Amino acid sequence: MGDLRDLYQEMILDHSKSPRNFHSLPAARRVEGFNPLCGDRVTLYLSVENDMVKDAAFEGSGCAIATASASMMTEKVKGKTVGEALALFDRFHELLTGAPKASANGSDLGKLEVFSGVREFPIRVKCATLAWHALKAALAGEGDRVSTE
């Protein structure tokens, strides 16, 4: 188990130090997210065409968990339909806030399961879900600002 935790920590550190899709998308939907508890800020850019997430990117500043979560989310949602991306939000949120489960066979969360350990630190759940709440708002057209409070 220690090796697996080390691997997970390496993945989170890698994405926080070298975030993927860390840039703006000027013509995309834009939602700003703020976590007042620790000061994480994210601006999510989402390009949706014909019910399909064509591109996703983000900018902002925050802790390693917030940055890694945004980075990995932008990789995961590209090519998903709006419905698939919303379902992914639900599964990720359940991973962090639901009852602990054994790793489910066939889970489509893939690498995102590295965040399952965040459940043990409730104060960090908001860090990990900030970009995801921005995603949900962007997909649903629910305004241009979200907060974890």
Side-chain angles (χ1 to χ4, degrees):
M1 188 66 178
D3 290 340
L4 193 55
R5 281 186 177 240
D6 290 345
L7 175 65
Y8 289 171
Q9 288 178 350
E10 285 179 28
M11 190 176 300
I12 288 172
L13 287 175
D14 177 47
H15 276 268
S16 71
K17 289 179 180 176
S18 302
R20 281 55 155 192
N21 305 305
F22 191 78
H23 55 84
S24 67
L25 293 173
R29 294 179 190 172
R30 175 185 163 149
V31 175
E32 295 179 9
F34 179 57
N35 178 0
L37 205 56
C38 68
D40 298 324
R41 290 187 180 277
V42 65
T43 301
L44 177 71
Y45 303 94
L46 198 65
S47 176
V48 178
E49 294 177 23
N50 299 322
D51 196 45
M52 181 79 62
V53 177
K54 292 290 186 187
D55 204 358
F58 76 103
E59 295 179 311
S61 61
C63 67
I65 291 174
T67 302
S69 180
S71 174
M72 294 173 73
M73 179 201 71
T74 57
E75 287 187 320
K76 188 72 172 179
V77 299
K78 288 182 185 180
K80 302 269 189 228
T81 66
V82 169
E84 290 169 340
L86 287 169
L88 190 62
F89 167 86
D90 290 339
R91 289 192 297 281
F92 186 74
H93 197 262
E94 177 68 22
L95 175 73
L96 296 180
T97 61
K101 299 175 188 171
S103 183
N105 290 335
S107 169
D108 68 343
L109 287 175
K111 294 177 182 177
L112 293 171
E113 292 199 25
V114 300
F115 293 99
S116 64
V118 172
R119 181 185 319 113
E120 298 172 23
F121 306 96
I123 198 165
R124 306 312 298 256
V125 168
K126 292 179 180 183
C127 302
T129 59
L130 177 62
W132 290 83
H133 286 289
L135 171 70
K136 185 177 181 184
L139 291 168
E142 295 176 344
D144 58 0
R145 293 183 192 268
V146 295
S147 172
T148 56
E149 294 300 312

